[in-house]
């Protein structure tokens, strides 16, 4: 889950903006906000620190929304191909808003709490997502945006060590669960989740107290501030999609290799099959297996040194165009170029040799399993 680039509108700021400036961040426009892309140590050092210790990310530009009412879960299922009704208390699930063609309007995270559903959407999509919710299910449940809340992500194998000093109870959480916790005396809602492939937490905190919490976390010896540059390389190594790049309104969950997010109960023949936009398209693609789509998202890796960037054409040995790269970088943990790409289905088998075209030069790559780097999620 993530955000597309900013438009030309005046940039918004998060409650941590002054702290980013104090810490020497290089600021860039992102998702309509002025955001830190890196700090003094640079993207590579920040990436490696998160992989080995703990990094603090400001993700307050994301949208936070509560859905309230007895019908909220059933109502949300009319917009996503995901099982929300059976989601257990304080369990979290990845979901997708779809359109009538089966394309993806946005990806989001949903957590069932005691009296509501807590939803996090991407920054660049949040206005349209909130309007989408209000238009289509606002008559069945209360749609309550939370613009006053900030969102911090603490990620890395030492994240739990650092956060447990503020409240040892957070150690009881496992991947994709959440709960209410006091952190440095501040009431927060915490989920054990994130966007780096590592163990970690996302913390919803009142905006007025976000800087206090951020400083308390940065005071821990394991924790350093991390910018959006490393967030992008970390999520790429984890094989995670960036909305507006790897998935968008023209890609279906099947093309995007996200069928794991569609539970059996919501598929054709399931107890609550269909009933969401594009269900017929998506069910037809699911029923046809590997041949249900003309293209599919895959991971690519190279032994060469030249990084392959978004937009690069992918060709076969005969030079015929077979796809396009949607995200690409040198993977800092691997020291090899890695990429996500959409390829014609016939070329998506693991081990298939292909070539990315970079400045008229062919870079040999092979289709590989995702993630590129094994994840470190804590499942108990």
């Amino acid at each position: 889950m993530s955000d597309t680039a900013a438009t030309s509108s005046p940039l918004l700021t998060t409650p941590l903006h002054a702290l980013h400036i104090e810490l020497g961040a290089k600021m860039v426009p992102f998702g309509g906000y002025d955001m830190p892309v890196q700090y003094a140590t640079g993207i590579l050092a920040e990436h490696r620190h998160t992989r080995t210790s703990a990094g603090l990310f400001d993700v307050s530009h994301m949208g936070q929304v509560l859905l309230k009412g007895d019908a909220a879960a059933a109502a949300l299922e009319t917009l996503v191909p995901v099982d929300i009704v059976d989601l257990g208390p304080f369990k979290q699930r990845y979901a997708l808003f779809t359109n009538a063609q089966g394309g993806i309007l946005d990806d989001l995270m949903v957590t069932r709490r005691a009296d509501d559903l807590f939803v996090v959407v991407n920054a660049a999509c949040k206005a349209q997502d909130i309007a989408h919710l209000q238009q289509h299910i606002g008559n069945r449940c209360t749609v309550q945006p939370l613009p006053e809340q900030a969102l911090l992500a603490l990620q890395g194998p030492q994240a739990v060590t650092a956060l447990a000093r503020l409240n040892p109870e957070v150690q009881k959480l496992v991947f994709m669960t959440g709960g209410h916790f006091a952190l440095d005396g501040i009431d927060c809602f915490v989920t054990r989740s994130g966007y780096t492939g590592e163990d970690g937490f996302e913390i919803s905190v009142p905006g007025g107290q976000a800087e206090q919490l951020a400083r308390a976390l940065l005071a821990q010896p394991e924790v350093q501030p991390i910018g959006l540059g490393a967030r992008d390389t970390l999520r790429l190594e984890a094989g995670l999609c960036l909305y507006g790049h790897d998935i968008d309104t023209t890609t279906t969950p099947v093309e995007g290799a996200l069928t794991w997010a569609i539970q059996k109960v919501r598929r054709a023949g399931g107890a609550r099959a269909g009933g969401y936009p594009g269900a017929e398209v998506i069910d037809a693609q699911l029923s046809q297996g590997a041949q249900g789509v003309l293209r599919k998202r895959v991971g690519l890796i190279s032994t060469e040194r030249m990084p392959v960037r978004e937009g690069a054409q992918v060709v076969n040995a005969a030079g015929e165009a077979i796809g396009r790269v949607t995200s690409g970088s040198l993977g800092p943990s691997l020291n090899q170029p890695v990429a996500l790409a959409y390829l014609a289905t016939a070329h998506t088998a693991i081990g298939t040799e292909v070539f990315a075209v970079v400045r008229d030069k062919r870079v040999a790559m092979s289709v590989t399993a995702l993630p590129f780097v094994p994840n470190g999620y804590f499942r108990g």
Side-chain angles (χ1 to χ4, degrees):
M1 251 186 77
S2 171
D3 305 313
T4 53
T7 66
S8 58
S9 303
L11 293 176
L12 301 170
T13 59
T14 75
L16 296 185
H17 190 265
L19 179 59
H20 297 314
I21 302 300
E22 177 187 322
L23 294 172
K26 177 183 177 182
M27 307 297 287
V28 298
F30 189 83
Y33 284 75
D34 194 30
M35 296 295 290
V37 68
Q38 66 179 73
Y39 297 86
T41 56
I43 292 172
L44 289 179
E46 291 174 25
H47 177 111
R48 290 171 179 145
H49 183 83
T50 306
R51 284 273 184 256
T52 57
S53 193
L56 182 66
F57 301 76
D58 180 10
V59 288
S60 303
H61 58 317
M62 309 277 283
Q64 301 177 65
V65 185
L66 296 184
L67 302 181
K68 297 181 175 181
D70 293 341
L76 185 55
E77 284 196 359
T78 67
L79 300 180
V80 301
V82 176
D83 179 6
I84 306 296
V85 169
D86 297 329
L87 191 58
F90 296 100
K91 297 291 182 66
Q92 186 178 49
R93 188 158 278 164
Y94 176 79
L96 304 156
F97 287 130
T98 52
N99 62 22
Q101 294 74 43
I104 300 169
L105 296 172
D106 198 10
D107 57 350
L108 58 147
M109 301 297 289
V110 183
T111 310
R112 182 186 288 281
R113 309 197 306 184
D115 300 309
D116 54 45
L117 296 174
F118 175 67
V119 177
V120 178
V121 299
N122 289 311
C125 301
K126 67 182 175 183
Q128 69 190 46
D129 287 349
I130 291 167
H132 185 64
L133 288 164
Q134 289 172 332
Q135 177 185 349
H136 295 287
I137 65 173
N139 61 332
R140 299 182 61 186
C141 63
T142 301
V143 179
Q144 180 186 341
L146 300 174
E148 71 285 357
Q149 290 290 112
L151 192 66
L152 307 184
L154 185 67
Q155 299 283 293
Q158 297 301 312
V160 65
T161 302
L163 193 60
R165 292 198 193 97
L166 303 188
N167 189 328
E169 293 297 303
V170 299
Q171 297 174 90
K172 296 179 180 178
L173 293 177
V174 296
F175 182 55
M176 298 293 273
T177 67
H180 298 275
F181 298 90
L183 301 175
D184 203 43
I186 304 165
D187 290 333
C188 300
F189 184 70
V190 180
T191 60
R192 198 158 190 171
S193 61
Y195 191 55
T196 62
E198 294 294 335
D199 184 22
F201 304 85
E202 292 199 343
I203 306 163
S204 179
V205 54
Q209 296 169 290
E211 185 174 325
Q212 175 190 333
L213 179 58
R215 290 184 184 277
L217 291 169
L218 290 169
Q220 307 307 312
E222 300 85 0
V223 183
Q224 292 183 8
I226 311 294
L228 294 177
R231 181 171 157 90
D232 192 50
T233 55
L234 288 158
R235 71 90 195 168
L236 176 56
E237 287 186 343
L240 300 172
C241 293
L242 178 64
Y243 188 79
H245 300 257
D246 309 300
I247 50 175
D248 57 27
T249 56
T250 70
T251 55
T252 70
V254 181
E255 292 174 318
L258 297 171
T259 55
W260 55 266
I262 307 176
Q263 290 75 33
K264 189 175 180 180
V265 71
R266 299 304 313 279
R267 300 187 184 203
R272 296 192 312 283
Y276 61 89
E280 297 81 2
V281 175
I282 293 169
D283 279 340
Q285 292 179 350
L286 286 168
S287 69
Q288 294 169 45
Q291 302 309 310
V293 290
L294 297 177
R295 59 173 188 157
K296 206 156 197 177
R297 181 177 65 93
V298 298
L300 299 177
I301 193 165
S302 176
T303 56
E304 299 187 27
R305 294 292 302 156
M306 184 178 290
V308 175
R309 305 295 185 189
E310 177 182 356
Q313 188 179 63
V314 182
V315 300
N316 62 15
E320 299 164 329
I322 58 170
R324 190 163 296 277
V325 170
T326 54
S327 289
S329 174
L330 184 71
S333 305
L334 301 166
N335 204 28
Q336 291 177 258
V338 294
L340 298 178
Y342 280 84
L343 300 186
T345 305
H347 301 273
T348 56
I350 301 297
T352 302
E353 299 294 327
V354 299
F355 301 87
V357 181
V358 180
R359 295 194 293 275
D360 298 323
K361 179 184 182 299
R362 288 190 186 185
V363 178
M365 306 192 82
S366 58
V367 177
T368 188
L370 294 172
F372 298 105
V373 174
N375 67 55
Y377 303 137
F378 178 74
R379 301 181 188 273

